[in-house]
Amino acid sequence: MTVLLRTAEELRKLPYDGQRAVVMTMGALHEGHATLIRRARELAGSEGQVLVTVFVNPLQFGANEDLDRYPRTLDADLAIAEEAGADAVFAPYADEVYPGGEPQVRLSAGPMGSRLEGATRPGHFDGMLTVVAKLLHLTAPDIALYGQKDAQQLALIQRMVRDLNFPVEVVGVPTVREADGLALSSRNRYLSEAERRTALSLSTALFAGRERLAAQTALHARAQAAPATKARAQALGALGEARAAADAHAVAQAHTGGPTAVRAAARSVLDDAGRARPPLLLDYLALVDPADFTEIDDTFTGEAVLAVAAKVGTTRLIDNIPLTFGAPV
């Protein structure tokens, strides 16, 4: 049976053997969180301990954000955590996490924390890192797991752990999606049926960018495999790329799956969604280097993140997918 802990003292007295794996949440658990817990169980093993934290952190909510609206569903959270394999849930009171009230000393997310989500939500990542650091100290895990859906958050936690020498392994777990592609989020419950249809454009746009990259990569590989310019043109034509087939040599020399084309493919979907009813109000579409969340250019090679944030009705949603850009020829 999953144990509910409410104080730091109770947590300190909780015995365990082997490794402790922690999944940090703000509650309102869903299948995405359950996936994190199941992965934590795998990593901790049968002899280890899986601990889930549930704490709605006021420091990471800005003015006019949904702190009061954020769902509190502790009983349901306990049931989900137990079914997924958690040994304990640590759901501290605010004065347990912030015993002196609002902390005067906080962590700074630095330059990366001022980009994308940080630009839209000033101070959000400072508050997030402050509470994550405190919870890492309180729970003292060997492993801490976070969802890749919050890619910038994950990158900042990884950077904090590295820069400040926290003795913990940070593990990112892939985004869990509903059958129609919408990324699981506690905020999805606020969407009306019509708003949900519009909200699907976030994942549709990301997939369009990924498909454009895949098509360009296949086109490039096909062109390179053809031994002569004429054969290249025929190969490209067979792929339905008539314009590219007109100049196979130029295509063969181009960078594989240019970021500009990927952005354009995603942007086209979002532009259409902006004319929907209800409309999608785009905050940002970005294709960034996950090391620092700066925009990449067409010479970039390696791992990247295609990220989007938008509001539908009164609900703000984020999503992202990882992409890999190949080396230029």
Side-chain angles (χ1 to χ4, degrees):
M1 181 175 178
T2 299
V3 178
L4 174 62
L5 310 171
R6 300 291 267 175
T7 69
E9 183 178 0
E10 290 174 328
L11 180 60
R12 283 192 294 270
K13 293 179 179 179
L14 183 67
Y16 70 96
D17 296 317
Q19 290 194 315
R20 172 180 278 179
V22 167
V23 175
M24 296 184 185
T25 82
M26 291 207 301
L29 302 190
H30 49 62
E31 180 57 26
H33 298 107
T35 299
L36 285 166
I37 297 167
R38 287 192 290 268
R39 180 59 178 149
R41 181 81 274 163
E42 292 173 2
L43 293 174
S46 59
E47 300 301 317
Q49 183 186 82
V50 174
L51 178 63
V52 176
T53 69
V54 174
F55 181 67
V56 181
N57 177 34
L59 295 190
Q60 62 195 76
F61 287 82
N64 303 316
E65 291 192 335
D66 55 357
L67 174 60
D68 293 335
R69 186 187 180 201
Y70 198 88
R72 275 79 165 173
T73 57
L74 185 57
D75 289 342
D77 294 345
L78 282 167
I80 291 172
E82 181 168 6
E83 184 176 359
D87 297 299
V89 169
F90 178 48
Y93 302 107
D95 58 5
E96 285 289 326
V97 180
Y98 302 119
E102 188 170 317
Q104 298 300 300
V105 176
R106 308 185 189 195
L107 289 179
S108 169
M112 195 196 314
S114 66
R115 298 173 185 132
L116 300 190
E117 285 298 292
T120 300
R121 307 174 67 188
H124 166 72
F125 285 125
D126 294 350
M128 179 276 294
L129 288 180
T130 298
V131 79
V132 167
K134 290 177 74 72
L135 289 172
L136 286 175
H137 285 310
L138 287 168
T139 60
D142 300 287
I143 307 164
L145 297 91
Y146 304 90
Q148 291 177 357
K149 175 178 174 290
D150 296 295
Q152 193 171 3
Q153 171 179 283
L154 173 60
L156 281 162
I157 292 171
Q158 290 170 326
R159 187 73 193 215
M160 178 188 74
V161 164
R162 183 169 65 251
D163 287 355
L164 301 184
N165 299 106
F166 279 78
V168 62
E169 177 187 359
V170 175
V171 175
V173 178
T175 300
V176 178
R177 299 183 180 278
E178 300 193 39
D180 57 9
L182 188 67
L184 283 176
S185 169
S186 59
R187 292 187 169 96
N188 290 352
R189 69 186 68 194
Y190 301 140
L191 297 169
S192 69
E193 184 176 343
E195 289 170 343
R196 184 186 173 87
R197 286 195 296 270
T198 297
L200 285 174
S201 62
L202 272 73
S203 56
T204 302
L206 297 178
F207 298 156
R210 182 176 63 190
E211 289 164 6
R212 182 59 184 161
L213 174 60
Q216 289 181 306
T217 301
L219 178 65
H220 182 86
R222 186 74 171 266
Q224 286 298 98
T229 300
K230 182 178 178 180
R232 285 196 183 111
Q234 291 172 341
L236 294 168
L239 290 175
E241 295 282 349
R243 290 181 60 190
D247 190 353
H249 180 72
V251 171
Q253 296 303 315
H255 295 302
T256 302
T260 297
V262 171
R263 289 187 185 94
R267 172 74 66 173
S268 177
V269 174
L270 297 171
D271 286 347
D272 287 344
R275 295 185 286 271
R277 291 291 179 269
L280 179 133
L281 303 176
L282 183 64
D283 187 347
Y284 62 76
L285 171 70
L287 184 53
V288 298
D289 182 342
D292 58 11
F293 271 69
T294 57
E295 290 280 353
I296 64 173
D297 61 25
D298 282 348
T299 66
F300 181 88
T301 60
E303 300 298 317
V305 173
L306 181 61
V308 63
K311 186 175 276 191
V312 182
T314 60
T315 304
R316 186 175 183 276
L317 300 170
I318 63 172
D319 201 354
N320 73 86
I321 56 171
L323 297 175
T324 302
F325 291 84
V329 297

